[in-house]
Amino acid sequence: MNYIINGIQQIGIGVANAKQAFNWYKNNYGFDLLVFEDRSEAKLMTQYTNDEVMQRYALLAMNMRGGGGLEIWQFTNRKPLAQASDFKLGDLGINMMKLRNGNISETTYTKDSWGNWIQVVKDSYAFSKGSDGKGGVMGAMIGVSDMQKSIKFYQTLFGLDAIAFDEVGVFKEFENLPGGTQKFRRVLLARNRTRVGGFGKLLGPFQLELILCLERGPNKIYKNRLWGDLGYIHLCFDVSGMDELKKKSERLGHPFTVDSANSFDMGEASGRFGYIEDPDGTLIEVVETHKVPISKKLGIFINLKHRTLGKPLPNWIVKAMRIHRKKKDL
């Protein structure tokens, strides 16, 4: 590929109170690094917000042990809606995020305070050491309607070339999840570790689990709702070489539906972002990061815009972001 997927940058979560959600994830899962905090208009997302420009408040929280972050997203001019029908495993869209943890013996499932399901996966990767073993986002479970189409999409565009498992059955680990007693096909996609650039060492290895319910027609999680409503709104990959990714996505028949083209500005962070729909319309964000603040007061930023493709930032520079850790609740 003439571009690099550096890792999962973040998963977007639509909430009713962003500060409350940040505090919960900080206190329960170690997402205490506040990369940006921004209030503005989502002008480029109108095709997913009923052709209206929505006001929003967004926070990006990271866990320095390693993994992707959380983009915590709140409408400020609209009450966000929940899924119309009760969620069942295998519904089309992001069913849950996967968080890494180096101190557990087996995979577990839990929910946050707002009903979003979380899979906690035993995983030893650590960018920074931490005694509790809790790390960041290492992937997601995504409900699909056509397994082969979805495998092709994620393998071709995002380099998930390794199939860790491909199984069909009724799975005991799902029995306490809504709709989890039915028969499923599960495919876990990973990638043979390749070069990464920018923040790739912090983001770490990642995986995606595609899940197909074989006993019912799944509902679409965001049917008749807006991007930004309650739940997992997108999965975001950190990219180097956005132009080449855009060309490849067009050849695959999944062109960018949104492209900020030049730069976006999220408070003191900047870059270029785009959105691609997977075969079921699940929104995948891709971001090419250009600038991240270390100290606004001192005018110190990490600049990646002209960085050599595939050259990760030195660990000490990334670790300097610790200055943005929040010990107290917002």
Side-chain angles (χ1 to χ4, degrees):
M1 294 190 295
N2 295 321
Y3 58 90
I4 293 175
I5 304 297
N6 298 311
I8 290 176
Q9 185 192 89
Q10 38 92 354
I11 194 164
I13 308 179
V15 300
N17 186 316
K19 288 186 177 181
Q20 186 182 67
F22 174 85
N23 295 336
W24 191 90
Y25 276 101
K26 172 178 71 71
N27 296 330
N28 288 279
Y29 287 100
F31 288 85
D32 61 356
L33 188 76
L34 182 58
V35 180
F36 69 69
E37 182 178 11
D38 186 53
R39 294 180 184 271
S40 61
E41 297 179 329
K43 294 180 180 179
L44 295 179
M45 300 301 293
T46 54
Q47 64 182 294
Y48 298 114
T49 56
N50 278 348
D51 294 322
E52 295 181 49
V53 175
M54 289 293 171
Q55 303 285 334
R56 65 100 173 98
Y57 171 49
L59 307 168
L60 179 60
M62 302 289 292
N63 179 321
M64 286 299 289
R65 181 175 169 86
L70 305 175
E71 184 176 19
I72 301 169
W73 208 99
Q74 175 193 339
F75 285 121
T76 56
N77 63 338
R78 179 179 188 271
K79 183 179 179 179
L81 301 180
Q83 185 175 348
S85 56
D86 290 339
F87 166 77
K88 289 186 173 60
L89 196 66
D91 278 352
L92 303 181
I94 300 171
N95 284 209
M96 62 187 74
M97 64 177 168
K98 294 172 178 274
L99 298 182
R100 58 170 38 95
N101 190 311
N103 286 1
I104 59 173
S105 59
E106 61 182 12
T107 295
T108 60
Y109 296 87
T110 186
K111 289 191 288 186
D112 68 12
S113 289
W114 303 276
N116 298 305
W117 282 96
I118 301 167
Q119 184 188 43
V120 184
V121 180
K122 179 177 174 58
D123 186 80
S124 62
Y125 182 84
F127 174 75
S128 298
K129 300 295 183 183
S131 60
D132 65 1
K134 295 176 182 177
V137 177
M138 66 175 293
M141 182 185 291
I142 298 177
V144 303
S145 63
D146 185 316
M147 186 61 77
Q148 295 312 120
K149 284 184 179 179
S150 294
I151 290 173
K152 180 180 178 181
F153 173 83
Y154 288 105
Q155 284 191 327
T156 303
L157 283 184
F158 301 109
L160 289 153
D161 50 355
I163 295 181
F165 64 70
D166 183 347
E167 300 175 358
V168 174
V170 176
F171 299 93
K172 183 174 177 57
E173 68 177 280
F174 286 169
E175 63 184 5
N176 293 319
L177 302 178
T181 58
Q182 295 183 310
K183 187 176 182 181
F184 293 92
R185 181 181 175 190
R186 304 170 64 187
V187 177
L188 184 67
L189 300 177
R191 67 172 177 174
N192 296 316
R193 191 66 174 157
T194 57
R195 61 180 182 151
V196 296
F199 290 96
K201 289 183 179 179
L202 170 63
L203 302 178
F206 62 91
Q207 59 181 230
L208 288 182
E209 184 173 345
L210 306 179
I211 182 168
L212 172 64
C213 184
L214 300 174
E215 294 188 25
R216 69 178 180 90
N219 295 315
K220 190 169 184 176
I221 291 173
Y222 272 87
K223 182 178 180 180
N224 298 325
R225 293 197 298 146
L226 306 188
W227 173 86
D229 276 337
L230 301 178
Y232 294 116
I233 60 177
H234 64 239
L235 178 67
C236 177
F237 290 97
D238 189 278
V239 177
S240 298
M242 186 79 90
D243 286 335
E244 294 301 318
L245 172 60
K246 184 174 183 178
K247 291 174 186 176
K248 190 166 186 177
S249 67
E250 289 172 352
R251 292 196 298 269
L252 188 62
H254 292 271
F256 280 29
T257 58
V258 175
D259 186 357
S260 68
N262 295 311
S263 280
F264 70 89
D265 184 29
M266 294 289 271
E268 296 302 319
S270 66
R272 176 184 174 187
F273 73 87
Y275 277 82
I276 309 167
E277 295 183 6
D278 85 351
D280 293 296
T282 301
L283 285 177
I284 305 300
E285 185 181 18
V286 287
V287 169
E288 187 172 63
T289 304
H290 294 164
K291 185 180 72 171
V292 175
I294 294 296
S295 173
K296 177 183 175 182
K297 185 176 181 180
L298 298 176
I300 301 172
F301 298 86
I302 300 173
N303 192 329
L304 299 98
K305 191 165 185 178
H306 303 294
R307 192 166 184 82
T308 302
L309 195 69
K311 185 178 181 181
L313 287 163
N315 289 355
W316 70 269
I317 290 181
V318 179
K319 289 179 179 179
M321 293 173 63
R322 292 176 186 271
I323 194 173
H324 297 297
R325 272 184 158 167
K326 299 293 182 182
K327 294 183 179 180
K328 297 182 179 180
D329 286 355
L330 297 181

